[in-house]
Amino acid sequence: MIRDEYRHGAVLGLTVAEIFILLAFLLLFALLGFLTDREADEHELAETDDRESAPMPWIRPEQYETLVSEVRIIKQEWDAALTTLEQSELDRIQLQSQIAELERRIGQEQKEADLANIARLDAESARNMIKKQLDAVRQEKQRVERELYIQKKGDQPACWYTLVPEDNGGYREKRKYIFDVAVFEDGLALAERPAPEGGAYDDNGGSYYNERRELNVASLPYGRKLSDEEFLDAVRNISGKGRGQEVRTYSCVFSVKVWDLTPKSAKERWQYAHYSLIQSWFSTFVVQDEAWTGITE
């Protein structure tokens, strides 16, 4: 009986001892594993960071909830950042769409403006073309009118004249005179006359003042009595330019006023000088009621 109890106690004692030994070994193995994991973590931190690695802190249970709360806050901020990024991307896409639409509208407006500008230029070109055609028609009309007008002038149209209205609504030419001539028994004399105002109606219609200067009328031998030969030498060039189409495009004749200062006994001299000398070169108007203002001797 006593032996059975001893045997039972011995077996129980050995079992408890073995349990303690096993626990000791388990604790040693756990400590060894913990130390091994710690060394591995320290080695990994040393490879990824050049700075001196701090020892892995031991997280106490009361800090766990705080860390979890911070992680949740960080995750919420991360999600908010992703949401903001997605919204920004949507806004960017919408803005690009609006820019594309605006560029399309601008392009359309520019195209319409270009078409309007082209249409305007075409209209201006058409107007310019029509204007040129009208100008050409007007010039042709003026040319025909000028030719008809010249034909109406007769055989000896005047170089200098003005247009005077008539009762029938038309116009007639009134001759203008280039200088005055007096016929004496023993010669002829010239008196200067200023250039008429204005200019000729038809072609080459410059001012009479300029034409008088180009013809050098001011240098004629005024103020003295001239022989027949001196008179012809002085005026032949002026008459020749009119008849030679140097004043107009057609042959024209200058007009002069003539005074008969010969005595009654020398009318043959007057007839000869008037018809043979003066009218051979100029168109004449014999003055009856106007006094001669040039030389008298």
Side-chain angles (χ1 to χ4, degrees):
M1 189 71 176
I2 296 172
R3 183 177 297 177
D4 293 336
E5 292 176 358
Y6 175 76
R7 184 179 298 167
H8 179 74
V11 174
L12 181 61
L14 289 173
T15 301
V16 171
E18 289 175 355
I19 291 171
F20 278 110
I21 291 172
L22 290 173
L23 289 173
F25 273 106
L26 289 174
L27 290 172
L28 288 174
F29 277 118
L31 180 61
L32 180 61
F34 175 77
L35 293 175
T36 302
D37 292 338
R38 184 174 180 180
E39 288 178 357
D41 292 336
E42 290 177 355
H43 181 70
E44 184 178 355
L45 289 173
E47 289 180 351
T48 58
D49 193 359
D50 293 336
R51 294 175 298 177
E52 185 178 357
S53 300
M56 179 70 69
W58 178 262
I59 301 176
R60 293 191 297 274
E62 61 270 16
Q63 295 177 336
Y64 180 76
E65 292 296 333
T66 303
L67 292 175
V68 171
S69 178
E70 292 179 355
V71 169
R72 288 176 180 172
I73 294 173
I74 293 173
K75 187 176 183 305
Q76 291 176 356
E77 294 177 351
W78 174 259
D79 292 339
L82 289 177
T83 303
T84 303
L85 183 61
E86 291 175 356
Q87 186 62 39
S88 299
E89 181 66 17
L90 293 176
D91 293 340
R92 184 184 66 82
I93 295 173
Q94 185 178 4
L95 182 60
Q96 286 182 345
S97 177
Q98 292 176 353
I99 292 174
E101 178 65 19
L102 183 61
E103 290 178 348
R104 186 189 66 80
R105 290 182 180 178
I106 292 175
Q108 183 66 25
E109 291 177 357
Q110 183 64 38
K111 183 178 179 180
E112 292 176 357
D114 293 341
L115 290 175
N117 190 32
I118 291 173
R120 181 179 60 81
L121 292 177
D122 291 342
E124 290 181 357
S125 300
R127 284 196 296 270
N128 292 334
M129 183 178 65
I130 293 173
K131 184 177 181 299
K132 290 181 180 179
Q133 292 176 352
L134 289 176
D135 291 340
V137 171
R138 291 191 186 100
Q139 291 177 1
E140 180 65 18
K141 180 175 178 291
Q142 290 176 356
R143 185 186 67 80
V144 173
E145 289 178 348
R146 184 170 58 247
E147 290 180 355
L148 293 174
Y149 185 77
I150 293 171
Q151 292 176 6
K152 293 179 181 178
K153 290 175 179 290
D155 295 334
Q156 292 185 336
C159 293
W160 286 3
Y161 61 89
T162 57
L163 294 179
V164 179
E166 294 182 328
D167 296 336
N168 59 5
Y171 291 88
R172 65 177 178 85
E173 289 184 1
K174 182 179 180 181
R175 295 172 179 266
K176 292 295 180 179
Y177 303 99
I178 190 169
F179 51 77
D180 297 337
V181 183
V183 178
F184 296 92
E185 185 178 9
D186 55 350
L188 299 99
L190 298 174
E192 190 171 6
R193 178 180 288 272
E197 294 182 357
Y201 169 77
D202 51 3
D203 57 351
N204 294 356
S207 68
Y208 293 141
Y209 176 83
N210 291 334
E211 290 179 357
R212 183 179 187 275
R213 184 176 56 185
E214 292 174 0
L215 292 170
N216 204 19
V217 177
S219 64
L220 292 176
Y222 301 109
R224 65 184 180 90
K225 191 175 293 185
L226 305 173
S227 66
D228 294 349
E229 291 76 11
E230 290 176 332
F231 170 79
L232 293 177
D233 290 340
V235 303
R236 187 183 290 115
N237 182 55
I238 295 174
S239 177
K241 287 186 176 181
R243 294 176 182 271
Q245 302 181 8
E246 296 184 40
V247 180
R248 303 284 172 263
T249 59
Y250 52 86
S251 177
C252 63
V253 178
F254 285 101
S255 301
V256 297
K257 283 188 175 183
V258 182
W259 276 259
D260 179 11
L261 301 182
T262 60
K264 293 182 179 180
S265 59
K267 293 307 174 185
E268 292 183 0
R269 162 65 184 169
W270 157 250
Q271 296 291 332
Y272 169 76
H274 180 211
Y275 293 109
S276 299
L277 297 178
I278 305 173
Q279 269 196 351
S280 297
W281 301 97
F282 299 96
S283 172
T284 62
F285 173 75
V286 179
V287 179
Q288 301 292 337
D289 55 355
E290 184 179 345
W292 168 257
T293 59
I295 64 168
T296 57
E297 294 181 359

